[in-house]
Amino acid sequence: MTNSELAKAIRQLAADKHAVIMAHYYQRAEVQDVADCIGDSLALAQQAAKTDAEIIVLCGVHFMAETAKILCPQKKVLIPDMNAGCSLADSCKAADLSAWKDAHPGYKVISYVNTSADVKALTDIVVTSSNALKIVQSLPKDQPILFGPDHNLGQYISQMTGRKMAIWDGACHVHSRFSVEALIALKREHPDAPVLAHPECKQAILTLADVIGSTQALLNYVKSHTETRKFIIATETGVMHEMQKACPDALLLPVPPEVTEGVGCMCNECEYMRMVTLEKLYNCLKNESPEVQVDETIAKQAIVPIRRMLEMS
Ligand code: 13P
Ligand code: SF4
């Protein structure tokens, strides 16, 4: 089947099965285009919490589908590729977090949504890049915090809020590899282009940025600055699809990654996000598989910090 035949068949299956297709902004363009809703991590969790569809198909990575399942235990939650993981979520195992907690009595555990259900079950409040600043700011000033797993985001939040935070040493392999030299060169070549960076980027990139925000915040910035002709983008390039749709005449300049010896790829795509294809989405809806399951006891614990986040957002 061609992509347009697949897209048509997917829409038909979704209608027949009363299913909702949700896609993250880092999905392939053709997957975003066939979805009922697209969003960042927070928006996907919010949409999952309020949908009345019987089936949720989460076109994203595993922790996103797991979060939807925790919020909607009675619904069938599908993911087109069960192997779509996240290097950041993998950097924090529940047993290690548990030991870290034991070593820091009195600390509140704030976990990025990019974590497994077991890690969320050990967490006080879940955050995403959209709401981390607001949530940490709302805590008492003298409340010590354990923040994980993204070190760059944690450092940024700690600097912005002045809060005492111990920070996990994890990183997103996509956001942490933007090249500082390449960004400096792009700025020199396009001095009129603002630099938009995701807070998962390393400090040296954030220092050079004009706007720091979640995927949604960066998209909103582009949408609300229609008079700006050029933007330098330091985040996963998938979101540029939606940016370009909103501003067809704007020049979007992605910051290239550092060149690693032996690695030829010059793009900043998350290979886990790109595992989802139209064909896999079609098969997933047709066969209602693979289905995401979360242990009931873990889910009951994990939903508490996720609900806290949704209330505080
Ligand atoms: P947001 O969707 O919160 O911007 O996070 C980016 C990300 O890396 C998702 O995996
Ligand atoms: Fe994980 Fe980074 Fe991919 Fe997001 S972009 S899913 S944080 S590896």
Side-chain angles (χ1 to χ4, degrees), residues 24 26 61 63-64 85-89 112 114 172-175 200 236 270-273:
H24 191 272
Y26 300 169
V61 291
F63 74 81
M64 295 175 177
C86 167
S87 58
L88 177 57
Y112 200 25
N114 301 39
C172 159
H173 71 292
V174 179
H175 285 91
E200 285 175 22
E236 215 270 7
C270 171
E271 62 270 42
Y272 303 112
M273 287 281 185

Side-chain angles (χ1 to χ4, degrees), residues 12-243:
Q12 190 60 52
L13 278 170
D16 294 348
K17 295 182 180 239
H18 195 44
V20 64
I21 302 172
M22 300 182 183
H24 191 272
Y25 288 124
Y26 300 169
Q27 290 289 291
R28 292 165 185 269
E30 62 274 20
V31 173
Q32 293 189 45
D33 288 343
V34 83
D36 294 286
C37 49
I38 41 176
D40 65 358
S41 307
L42 177 62
L44 295 180
Q46 287 169 328
Q47 296 283 348
K50 68 176 190 209
T51 185
D52 60 2
E54 283 152 28
I55 298 177
I56 298 173
V57 189
L58 207 309
C59 297
V61 291
H62 190 262
F63 74 81
M64 295 175 177
E66 217 177 37
T67 304
K69 181 67 185 174
I70 293 166
L71 284 164
C72 312
Q74 310 306 334
K75 294 188 195 296
K76 195 173 252 189
V77 177
L78 307 173
I79 183 165
D81 191 325
M82 198 53 110
N83 294 318
C86 167
S87 58
L88 177 57
D90 286 348
S91 76
C92 184
K93 303 283 177 229
D96 298 331
L97 177 61
S98 185
W100 202 42
K101 272 179 77 163
D102 290 346
H104 293 84
Y107 281 61
K108 272 218 183 308
V109 180
I110 310 280
S111 292
Y112 200 25
V113 69
N114 301 39
T115 44
S116 66
D118 319 21
V119 165
K120 289 186 177 81
L122 295 168
T123 294
D124 292 300
I125 313 174
V126 168
V127 296
T128 76
S129 58
S130 284
N131 56 26
L133 198 56
K134 182 176 167 194
I135 289 176
V136 171
Q137 241 153 7
S138 73
L139 299 177
K141 280 204 167 71
D142 56 352
Q143 172 63 58
I145 293 166
L146 291 185
F147 187 98
D150 192 78
H151 195 83
N152 294 330
L153 176 68
Q155 217 176 16
Y156 170 68
I157 300 293
S158 172
Q159 278 165 5
M160 296 300 287
T161 60
R163 294 298 203 272
K164 183 181 174 207
M165 281 165 61
I167 307 171
W168 193 264
D169 192 20
C172 159
H173 71 292
V174 179
H175 285 91
S176 59
R177 75 180 172 199
F178 290 110
S179 158
V180 178
E181 291 72 27
L183 174 53
I184 291 170
L186 269 176
K187 273 171 77 85
R188 206 171 284 138
E189 204 182 328
H190 305 278
D192 51 337
V195 177
L196 278 48
H198 194 282
E200 285 175 22
C201 295
K202 59 193 170 213
Q203 178 96 55
I205 295 284
L206 297 183
T207 307
L208 295 167
D210 299 290
V211 183
I212 299 171
S214 66
T215 309
Q216 187 66 56
L218 302 184
L219 174 60
N220 292 348
Y221 185 88
V222 170
K223 282 184 173 173
S224 60
H225 288 77
T226 44
E227 75 293 349
T228 309
R229 313 299 301 164
K230 295 173 183 175
F231 302 89
I232 298 174
I233 313 289
T235 189
E236 215 270 7
T237 51
V239 70
M240 285 166 48
H241 178 58
E242 199 54 25
M243 288 174 172

